[in-house]
Amino acid sequence: MNRLSLFVPFAVFVVLAALFYVGLGREDPHKLPSALVGKPFPAFQLPRLDAPGQRADQTALRGRVHLVNVWATWCPTCKAEHAELNRIAATQGVAIVGINYKDDPNAAMEWITRFGNPYVWTVIDADGKLGVDLGVYGAPETFVVDARGIVRFRWVGDVNERVWNDEFVPLLGELARESGSA
Amino acid sequence: MTVRFRFPRGVPVRRQQPPAVRWLGVVGLIWLLGPAAWAAIDAYTFSNDEHARRYRVLVDELRCPVCLSSSLSGSDSPISADLRREVYRLIEDGKSDDEIRDYMHARYGDYILYRPRLTPFTVALYAVPLVLLAAGALLVLRIVRARRRLATPVAVDTGAIDVLLAKHAPVADRQGDPAAPGPRSS
């Protein structure tokens, strides 16, 4: 029974304290990790908001990287991020697709007419069924879908410039390299 | 002879709690009854009683994704209403309880289940405190045994002690014992 073994409990405490410090300080408990990362974008067939009479389905997400933005007119944070989405669509060379979530299509149409339309196309998810399939629990949420239609990332909350630079740009760079070497 | 208890003079026979305490009591009672009222009111018609029972159990077991700690049954949020509707639809579609849990888990992840899945990670999580407890217990056992060993007296050779005592005893003790040497014996 040597003196060194007396320090074992202390060592265990230090290790646990470090783990707790890192683990508990890490994320906002309100933000859930997406269960869909690595899985194909769920199948859907929904009417287009911006092209009345037409429909879109998940195959439209193949061929290039897309950002899928879940938004609604009743969501104030969506309004706050809209300018940033406009900027990204215009300058960053990435296609943004919209899902109008549990909203009034007329109000939604008026919204994008007034505030600008960053979306290549937008579908109407009136009853929120696609939202449930995506694990959406509040707007806005933004997904990154790669060229094969696989979900790679989900961001909950508004996309502002800092979020764009910290969270999205590195991933998009990686995806570009992936498809470049494919 | 019976003894009667009498209130001492000056104390009113009937003691009343001050209003604040009584209000606390009323509020407390209402608060306890609260949970019964929290059950979300969804008017779903089930095709049979078993479906209705399974629905009630499932919406208690599934967590509301936007609430920090509330089941689907106890939440007013729109997403919870949507998910309750999904549970209803899946039950009526003939899905089993496990299939419904899988459905929710595939979309919302571990958080949506009040009973987390047993994965290697969660098993490790449960095991670590037990392992630490066992290690601690072992350590305590070792310390106790070591102490006990120190406290146990070693077998003593009383014969040798007697000889030594006799050799060095003071002179007064040895009056009349010619064999014993003096205090400064050679």
Side-chain angles (χ1 to χ4, degrees), chain A residues 1 5-6 9 12 16 29-30 32-33 35-36 39 101-102 127-129 131-138, chain B residues 65-68 78-79 82-83 85-86 89 103-111 128 132 139 142-143 146:
Chain A
M1 190 63 188
S5 58
L6 285 176
V12 169
L16 283 179
H30 285 274
L32 306 178
L36 285 173
K39 297 204 207 139
Y101 178 67
K102 296 177 71 174
D127 58 1
K129 182 77 171 42
V132 168
D133 284 342
L134 283 169
V136 167
Y137 56 96
Chain B
V66 295
C67 323
L68 273 179
I79 184 68
D82 285 353
L83 291 179
R85 195 187 63 217
E86 283 298 292
R89 183 183 67 81
Y103 178 94
M104 292 296 171
H105 183 262
R107 285 154 180 76
Y108 287 91
D110 290 328
Y111 187 78
V128 163
L132 285 179
L139 210 69
R142 281 181 61 190
I143 293 174

Side-chain angles (χ1 to χ4, degrees), chain B residues 127-147:
Chain B
V128 163
L130 294 174
V131 165
L132 285 179
L133 194 67
L138 269 172
L139 210 69
V140 166
L141 225 74
R142 281 181 61 190
I143 293 174
V144 164
R145 261 201 231 123
R147 290 241 185 92

Side-chain angles (χ1 to χ4, degrees), chain B:
Chain B
M1 184 185 94
T2 57
V3 176
R4 283 241 189 105
F5 176 72
R6 279 224 155 95
F7 280 109
R9 286 268 168 85
V11 176
V13 171
R14 208 219 202 112
R15 289 272 219 67
Q16 279 205 324
Q17 299 288 9
V21 177
R22 276 187 285 157
W23 268 115
L24 259 173
V26 171
V27 168
L29 200 64
I30 292 176
W31 178 76
L32 282 174
L33 295 173
W38 287 348
I41 301 170
D42 289 321
Y44 289 129
T45 353
F46 292 92
S47 47
N48 64 50
D49 283 342
E50 178 62 14
H51 283 187
R53 188 199 63 81
R54 283 174 55 206
Y55 173 84
R56 276 195 297 275
V57 170
L58 276 171
V59 296
D60 270 341
E61 246 183 49
L62 292 169
R63 211 190 222 125
C64 157
V66 295
C67 323
L68 273 179
S69 186
S70 201
S71 62
L72 286 188
S73 60
S75 166
D76 275 340
S77 60
I79 184 68
S80 297
D82 285 353
L83 291 179
R84 282 194 299 270
R85 195 187 63 217
E86 283 298 292
V87 172
Y88 167 74
R89 183 183 67 81
L90 291 165
I91 289 182
E92 291 289 302
D93 271 353
K95 299 279 185 276
S96 74
D97 283 359
D98 272 339
E99 283 172 322
I100 294 174
R101 282 186 213 111
D102 284 343
Y103 178 94
M104 292 296 171
H105 183 262
R107 285 154 180 76
Y108 287 91
D110 290 328
Y111 187 78
I112 196 136
L113 299 172
Y114 261 120
R115 287 187 209 187
R117 295 270 157 107
L118 278 177
T119 65
F121 178 72
T122 57
V123 169
L125 206 66
Y126 295 141
V128 163
L130 294 174
V131 165
L132 285 179
L133 194 67
L138 269 172
L139 210 69
V140 166
L141 225 74
R142 281 181 61 190
I143 293 174
V144 164
R145 261 201 231 123
R147 290 241 185 92
R148 213 176 284 153
R149 221 178 298 129
L150 288 173
T152 314
V154 177
V156 167
D157 184 2
T158 47
I161 288 183
D162 284 343
V163 169
L164 282 171
L165 282 176
K167 233 166 111 180
H168 298 283
V171 179
D173 278 351
R174 273 183 275 111
Q175 294 299 335
D177 183 1
R184 270 191 267 267
S185 64
S186 49

Side-chain angles (χ1 to χ4, degrees), chain A:
Chain A
M1 190 63 188
N2 59 12
R3 299 218 76 181
L4 219 55
S5 58
L6 285 176
F7 284 96
V8 165
F10 179 70
V12 169
F13 168 76
V14 168
V15 167
L16 283 179
L19 282 176
F20 276 125
Y21 184 81
V22 169
L24 290 176
R26 199 202 292 262
E27 268 148 24
D28 180 354
H30 285 274
K31 302 218 171 148
L32 306 178
S34 171
L36 285 173
V37 172
K39 297 204 207 139
F41 197 90
F44 66 92
Q45 223 221 46
L46 292 172
R48 293 264 302 264
L49 176 72
D50 49 343
Q54 289 183 41
R55 297 174 85 84
D57 61 31
Q58 75 281 0
T59 58
L61 290 171
R62 298 203 198 123
R64 60 173 299 184
V65 171
H66 287 93
L67 294 185
V68 179
N69 177 250
V70 178
W71 66 280
T73 57
W74 45 258
C75 149
T77 321
C78 304
K79 181 94 168 285
E81 80 170 350
H82 201 78
E84 179 67 12
L85 290 179
N86 283 336
R87 185 192 74 87
I88 293 170
T91 64
Q92 301 291 310
V94 62
I96 311 183
V97 155
I99 299 178
N100 186 232
Y101 178 67
K102 296 177 71 174
D103 205 357
D104 167 17
N106 292 319
M109 198 58 218
E110 207 209 289
W111 218 68
I112 48 178
T113 317
R114 259 173 78 194
F115 299 118
N117 186 2
Y119 306 115
V120 175
W121 45 265
T122 312
V123 290
I124 301 171
D125 184 19
D127 58 1
K129 182 77 171 42
L130 177 57
V132 168
D133 284 342
L134 283 169
V136 167
Y137 56 96
E141 293 189 17
T142 307
F143 295 81
V144 176
V145 182
D146 69 17
R148 292 170 303 148
I150 311 284
V151 175
R152 301 298 287 262
F153 178 68
R154 168 186 62 187
W155 177 256
V156 174
D158 69 315
V159 175
N160 55 43
E161 192 156 354
R162 185 193 58 81
V163 168
W164 175 252
N165 289 327
D166 291 348
E167 311 282 343
F168 284 85
V169 169
L171 175 61
L172 291 175
E174 226 181 277
L175 291 178
R177 276 191 295 280
E178 243 179 53
S179 60
S181 58

